Amino acid sequence: MARSRLKARLPIAVMAATALMGTVAAAGTPGTGTPDDRRPAAVRVPAPDRPTIRYTEYGIPHIIASTMEGLGEGYGYAAAKDNICTLADTYLMVNAQRSRYLGPDGRASPGQNQNSTSNLNSDLYFQRMNDNRVVERLLDQPAPNGPEPEVKEGIRGYVRGYNRYLAETGVNNLSDPACRGAAWVRPITELDVYRHAHAEIVMGSADPLLDGEVTAAPPGAPGAAPSPAAAPAVSPEETAAKIREAMAASRQQGSMGSNALAVGSQGVAPGTGTSMLLANPHFPWQGKNRMWQSQLTIPGRINVSGASLLGLPAVNIGHTDDVAWSHTVATVAPFGLFDVQVDPLHPTSYLVDGGWQQMTSQQVGVDVLQPDGSVGRVTRTLWSTRYGPITTSVLGVALPWVVSAHAVRDANMDNLRALNTWFHLDQAKDVGDVVSTLETTQGVPFFNTVASDRKGNALYADIQAAPNITDAHAQSCLTLTGQVLFNQQLRLPNVPPVSVFDGKRSECDWPNDPNAVAPGLLDPHKQPRLIRSDFVGNANDSPWLANPEQPLSFPRVMGDSAAPRSLRTQELVLTAQNRISGSDGLPGRGFTPETMRQLLFADGSRAADLALDATVTTCRSQPFGLVLVDGNLVDVSEACPVLAAWNHKYTADSRGSWLFENLWYLLTNGQAIEKLPWRVPFDPKDPVHTPNSLDPGSSAVRDALGRAVLALRKAGVPLNAPLSDVQRITRNAERIPIHGAIHELGVLNVVTPGTVDGKLDITFGSSFVQETRFTADGPPQAASLLAYSQSANPNSPHYSDQTRLFSAGQWVTERYTEEQIAASPALEIKVLD
């Protein structure tokens, strides 16, 4: 789908120039979503003999049926009604037909990042999997490796519901102009849905490796990269550093992340309940990784409410009657590399255990739309080894195929188990059920799980499809590059330890563990988990400090320990500790629903808490208020009172926040937090409070200040401009202010600006947020918000309604029980006869 062309993380002040070109349209006064208790709860709820969709405020569907197939049918119909163009575009991608209909040079988003590769490379990647019948082979397997029978029923129903909506509406009558009348919008099959699910599961490997896999060619072959013989040699340390830096940049530029906080019985305010959970995934605001909210009910059997990645007929993040859970992106690399020595005269031969083996070649062809409108064919030869496909780059970092080549093994390539995982999570009754599901399915791909239950427990678990790389195996098998890349202590944000093993030794392949669900996976019982009654949380750091009172130990493949935490992790942990102890200046102690929501939408910045005073001192100490930037004197004196008066927050009305965001972005420049000019270095004995005390005499701080002031002036942005003047998104003709900030600032409400079709927009950040509270009895009480609203269709009434709520910091009170649904003043009922 060619709706959006995104470019994330432009210099922030430059993007602001676009933002200031429009005038904010009147957004009206959004409602809070609070139920109207005066309305009689007498609206009849149809019996679920046929799938029934009850729509309440903001277009949220409550789907009820008597079977899994009926539940899937309702989900498919409602999802297609809101987002058929986004879904059709996804099915086009996984069937390797983007080049056929949209041309080879357009951009595709098979991984976590937006528009991360060309249509042609995306098609070649998926066509190879389709030719190899990867998904079909998994479907033929019994559970747990294949989908359980009821999962298959749900997907069968989803296909019927999607196709029913399309047949009722007609391609030429779709209201969304992005695909109205498009030849590539068609009825779907069950295989389309499974291919989509599999694409979501492997996306943690697709971003870094896809381009290198589909362009890899042996030396001398047509299209092969030029020989690097004349280029200066690159050391293992340099290669490892480049890969880590590229992965850090990729995760910052339109990728995914999350916060999650679970509070147990000792963490809630007295009289409030037994536990609470805050779910705050940071997902893309456009494309196939949009989330979509629903409630799914089979009376007496399943009742689950929350959100899922669009097109997956289950709730991925949400709550049942008794347990709530969320996921955060983990610090496990779901793939590993194998360095195989090749024969210089025959570079498709590689050495294993003293003998030569032949790589496998595969001709992969896709249809391509030509400039004259005709359709041609592009064919490439792709190569594989016993370990997996050959790649010649990782996120653009070259891995030359000369003396050796690099093969890829993906822990999720044979994973459809995630569908079973979410099917069982949707029926969980306590955190014990959550742990059991994670261990027995081992289907979670590159995610942590954070949960709370009615019994007062708070759970953190990093139990997933992790490569079976124990510390001893890594020590025995890592190459020189692998040693630096896997063990490197220089910490870059959210970058997992990537292994590069010696492919000359078959013993270095990932060994099989009898306790793991599938070959090559780490024993789930060796993966970290923690259950407490106060709190646990994660903000995309490793499992080490899920709760600082009980640091966890785990194999290095799961992430680092005794290393600096991100500023976002510090903010999450400190806020939780201070609220539970009552030392945050607010009345009482422990969390209430109000303070849990405030945790997120206070928009406080840990970076400002640590560095703003020193930055003001730097500003005030400049002779005559002047800073030298690239040979030019910049007057920064105006910035000093602006920064001094700023309240450390990224609320819409905050003044000085945009100036500090530019300054911090320029100061950090993607480097590890401990590399900034701190006077107090990191101390593993005090990881939540160190490093601290920014050096006001640092030339780096002075230079960043001068460059930030210069950038805002060039963009025409006043230094004291409120955030609402510069950080907005366009929804039709309306410009909606968005609060929050980039994650480097230690703001929990992550919002990452970029451009869409030349206009300032949000590329990723807080998407579906949900606060859930359990009491000793009675239904769960929850509030939620889908930041970008339910539909990507600009003609939908639910294209921007929740976005206005997000802008105003308001939440939607959840309707969960039949009485609450029936009492909705916006209730609309659709029975799929």
Side-chain angles (χ1 to χ4, degrees):
M1 184 171 63
R3 182 201 305 280
S4 299
R5 292 292 179 264
L6 285 83
K7 187 173 183 182
R9 303 301 303 277
L10 294 169
I12 297 170
V14 175
M15 293 188 295
T18 304
L20 287 179
M21 292 176 65
T23 302
V24 179
T29 304
T32 63
T34 302
D36 185 354
D37 294 331
R38 296 169 296 177
R39 179 181 174 86
V43 178
R44 184 180 67 87
V45 178
D49 54 336
R50 291 298 301 152
T52 301
I53 308 167
R54 287 84 54 79
Y55 289 100
T56 58
E57 293 90 334
Y58 308 103
I60 298 171
H62 305 260
I63 302 163
I64 188 168
S66 58
T67 66
M68 283 299 300
E69 190 165 338
L71 207 58
E73 183 177 358
Y75 184 106
Y77 188 95
K81 179 174 179 287
D82 281 342
N83 292 287
I84 194 164
C85 291
T86 302
L87 286 166
D89 180 70
T90 300
Y91 301 133
L92 187 72
M93 180 189 74
V94 298
N95 283 296
Q97 293 183 319
R98 292 184 64 83
S99 299
R100 164 66 180 84
Y101 290 98
L102 305 177
D105 299 326
R107 306 303 295 176
S109 305
Q112 299 179 44
N113 291 339
Q114 294 293 325
N115 299 332
S116 56
T117 191
S118 69
N119 285 343
L120 179 58
N121 282 356
S122 172
D123 287 345
L124 290 165
Y125 176 79
F126 285 108
Q127 190 61 53
R128 177 192 231 175
M129 282 198 287
N130 296 346
D131 288 347
N132 292 337
R133 303 185 75 254
V134 170
V135 174
E136 292 92 326
R137 285 189 291 102
L138 295 174
L139 290 174
D140 288 340
Q141 297 186 36
N145 287 307
E148 295 188 14
E150 289 175 304
V151 172
K152 291 183 176 182
E153 291 175 17
I155 288 179
R156 187 179 309 123
Y158 171 89
V159 170
R160 186 166 61 247
Y162 178 100
N163 289 342
R164 173 174 178 159
Y165 174 79
L166 184 59
E168 287 181 359
T169 307
V171 175
N172 293 326
N173 296 318
L174 295 173
S175 64
D176 191 340
C179 67
R180 183 189 303 128
W184 45 270
V185 180
R186 57 169 179 78
I188 61 171
T189 67
E190 293 172 37
L191 183 58
D192 293 327
V193 182
Y194 287 115
R195 284 176 173 173
H196 172 207
H198 186 258
E200 296 293 344
I201 292 167
V202 301
M203 66 179 171
S205 300
D207 271 342
L209 300 167
L210 185 154
D211 286 330
E213 289 182 21
V214 300
T215 58
S227 172
V234 178
S235 69
E237 292 81 4
E238 291 174 303
T239 300
K242 288 181 179 179
I243 292 174
R244 285 182 65 85
E245 289 167 4
M247 293 189 73
S250 173
R251 291 205 168 194
Q252 293 169 14
Q253 295 171 359
S255 184
M256 300 195 310
S258 301
N259 306 311
L261 178 68
V263 177
S265 57
Q266 299 304 307
V268 296
T272 297
T274 57
S275 73
M276 297 180 68
L277 180 88
L278 177 67
N280 177 216
H282 305 149
F283 275 57
W285 281 35
Q286 298 87 14
K288 74 178 182 68
N289 289 327
R290 281 177 62 105
M291 302 194 79
W292 186 72
Q293 187 173 357
S294 67
Q295 181 179 1
L296 306 176
T297 305
I298 298 178
R301 186 171 168 210
I302 293 176
N303 195 17
V304 59
S305 180
S308 58
L309 289 176
L310 185 62
L312 301 186
V315 168
N316 302 145
I317 290 175
H319 69 82
T320 64
D321 288 348
D322 301 298
V323 64
W325 77 96
S326 189
H327 295 301
T328 63
V329 176
T331 54
V332 175
F335 67 91
L337 301 177
F338 290 83
D339 187 313
V340 294
Q341 180 180 328
V342 300
D343 182 344
L345 299 179
H346 305 282
T348 59
S349 297
Y350 64 104
L351 193 64
V352 180
D353 297 336
W356 294 101
Q357 297 187 5
Q358 292 297 314
M359 295 182 186
T360 302
S361 64
Q362 181 177 358
Q363 297 290 314
V364 178
V366 297
D367 292 336
V368 175
L369 183 66
Q370 303 296 319
D372 63 1
S374 63
V375 176
R377 187 81 173 166
V378 171
T379 302
R380 286 189 191 163
T381 302
L382 307 183
W383 298 90
S384 293
T385 69
R386 62 185 292 153
Y387 305 109
I390 293 291
T391 186
T392 50
S393 67
V394 176
L395 285 170
V397 178
L399 296 173
W401 185 345
V402 184
V403 178
S404 64
H406 289 82
V408 176
R409 183 167 183 184
D410 187 344
N412 286 308
M413 189 54 68
D414 293 327
N415 182 5
L416 269 183
R417 300 180 307 276
L419 295 174
N420 299 332
T421 301
W422 286 311
F423 171 71
H424 285 289
L425 288 177
D426 286 359
Q427 302 172 76
K429 297 186 181 301
D430 55 31
V431 298
D433 282 353
V434 173
V435 171
S436 176
T437 292
L438 299 179
E439 289 183 340
T440 56
T441 63
Q442 215 167 347
V444 171
F446 60 89
F447 292 148
N448 303 285
T449 303
V450 178
S452 67
D453 66 18
R454 189 182 296 276
K455 298 175 182 178
N457 298 307
L459 165 72
Y460 166 83
D462 190 2
I463 304 173
Q464 58 170 294
N468 188 18
I469 302 174
T470 63
D471 292 351
H473 189 64
Q475 183 177 2
S476 171
C477 288
L478 288 168
T479 65
L480 291 177
T481 299
Q483 290 174 23
V484 178
L485 191 58
F486 192 80
N487 297 314
Q488 187 168 309
Q489 291 302 307
L490 176 61
R491 189 180 176 284
L492 293 171
N494 305 337
V495 178
V498 176
S499 62
V500 185
F501 282 170
D502 180 3
K504 296 190 301 297
R505 299 154 52 200
S506 61
E507 65 184 7
C508 287
D509 200 354
W510 303 343
N512 297 333
D513 190 294
N515 294 318
V517 175
L521 298 186
L522 184 67
D523 179 354
H525 304 95
K526 294 179 180 177
Q527 300 182 39
R529 77 286 310 275
L530 179 64
I531 298 176
R532 291 182 62 91
S533 60
D534 53 356
F535 79 93
V536 294
N538 185 266
N540 305 130
D541 264 317
S542 78
W544 180 44
L545 291 186
N547 185 302
E549 298 299 318
Q550 195 173 348
L552 295 172
S553 59
F554 40 87
R556 169 63 180 161
V557 70
M558 308 296 294
D560 59 11
S561 59
R565 302 295 87 182
S566 72
L567 296 185
R568 186 154 49 90
T569 291
Q570 292 183 24
E571 180 75 5
L572 183 70
V573 169
L574 287 170
T575 303
Q577 288 178 329
N578 293 339
R579 177 79 300 261
I580 291 172
S581 67
S583 59
D584 57 2
L586 298 175
R589 63 174 183 82
F591 280 98
T592 64
E594 293 74 20
T595 54
M596 183 67 84
R597 298 172 205 169
Q598 186 180 8
L599 168 81
L600 183 62
F601 283 173
D603 292 315
S605 167
R606 177 64 175 159
D609 293 344
L610 290 172
L612 183 59
D613 288 348
T615 302
V616 172
T617 299
T618 299
C619 188
R620 289 171 171 168
S621 66
Q622 300 312 302
F624 306 105
L626 300 175
V627 171
L628 188 65
V629 176
D630 296 332
N632 299 307
L633 289 173
V634 177
D635 185 353
V636 300
S637 57
E638 181 189 355
C640 305
V642 172
L643 291 171
W646 177 43
N647 64 358
H648 297 207
K649 296 182 181 296
Y650 280 83
T651 53
D653 60 352
S654 63
R655 294 178 180 271
S657 57
W658 195 254
L659 172 61
F660 189 80
E661 181 162 339
N662 278 265
L663 183 154
W664 195 254
Y665 181 79
L666 292 164
L667 177 64
T668 55
N669 195 27
Q671 65 180 317
I673 190 67
E674 67 267 31
K675 292 300 180 180
L676 298 184
W678 303 107
R679 286 178 166 174
V680 177
F682 170 70
D683 181 354
K685 297 179 180 178
D686 188 15
V688 179
H689 299 94
T690 60
N692 61 53
S693 302
L694 195 69
D695 182 2
S698 166
S699 60
V701 178
R702 182 175 64 249
D703 183 69
L705 172 63
R707 292 181 183 278
V709 170
L710 183 62
L712 265 65
R713 286 180 177 153
K714 286 183 176 180
V717 179
L719 301 187
N720 67 341
L723 187 64
S724 59
D725 277 3
V726 289
Q727 189 164 271
R728 308 173 186 168
I729 62 169
T730 302
R731 291 293 179 263
N732 293 324
E734 185 179 2
R735 301 282 288 156
I736 303 175
I738 300 295
H739 57 105
I742 57 177
H743 78 90
E744 292 96 331
L745 286 156
V747 175
L748 296 180
N749 181 30
V750 169
V751 168
T752 301
T755 56
V756 180
D757 295 330
K759 298 177 182 178
L760 184 70
D761 208 320
I762 306 304
T763 56
F764 80 104
S766 291
S767 47
F768 174 73
V769 293
Q770 187 173 63
E771 168 266 314
T772 306
R773 173 170 62 113
F774 292 104
T775 55
D777 51 27
Q781 300 172 36
S784 64
L785 200 58
L786 191 60
Y788 37 69
S789 304
Q790 283 280 85
S791 178
N793 176 4
N795 291 318
S796 167
H798 307 299
Y799 177 58
S800 58
D801 50 358
Q802 289 195 66
T803 309
R804 297 187 198 100
L805 291 185
F806 181 82
S807 175
Q810 297 176 344
W811 296 65
V812 178
T813 301
E814 180 185 70
R815 296 186 183 275
Y816 184 70
T817 67
E818 291 299 321
E819 293 76 15
Q820 291 166 347
I821 295 168
S824 171
L827 185 66
E828 293 182 9
I829 300 174
K830 171 71 175 180
V831 180
L832 301 182
D833 294 321

